[in-house]
């Protein structure tokens, strides 16, 4: 959990990147808002969920996601 808040009724750009130094960084509208040392960003044994969490209370996103891109 990053603790980063996104706000309704506003366009927002989120980007998650991980460099060769294993530091994952989350950017919100171009500003770095979170970082952590991560050996892996994605746990390949679990589902990838966009717009909700995998917790018991999923807190679904009730908006529109314009585009998603993933690169290796």
């Amino acid at each position: 959990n990053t603790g980063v808040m996104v706000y309704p009724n506003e366009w927002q750009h989120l980007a998650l990147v991980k460099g060769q130094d294993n530091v994952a960084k989350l950017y919100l509208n171009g500003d770095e808002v979170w970082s952590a040392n991560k050996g892996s960003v994605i746990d390949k044994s679990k589902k990838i969920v966009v717009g909700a969490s995998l917790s018991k209370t999923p807190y679904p996103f009730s908006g529109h996601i314009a585009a998603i891109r993933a690169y290796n």
Side-chain angles (χ1 to χ4, degrees), residues 5-70:
M5 297 292 297
V6 292
Y7 299 97
N9 304 315
E10 293 181 23
W11 182 95
Q12 294 161 90
H13 179 263
L14 290 163
L16 177 67
V17 298
K18 186 183 83 132
Q20 293 180 349
D21 59 359
N22 285 332
V23 175
K25 296 180 180 182
L26 180 65
Y27 293 88
L28 175 62
N29 300 324
D31 296 322
E32 183 181 324
V33 293
W34 176 86
S35 68
N37 192 342
K38 296 282 188 182
S40 177
V41 175
I42 296 173
D43 183 346
K44 294 178 184 175
S45 69
K46 296 183 179 179
K47 295 179 182 179
I48 296 175
V49 177
V50 176
S53 73
L54 289 174
S55 67
K56 291 180 183 178
T57 309
Y59 302 109
F61 175 72
S62 60
H64 299 280
I65 298 173
I68 296 174
R69 295 181 187 161

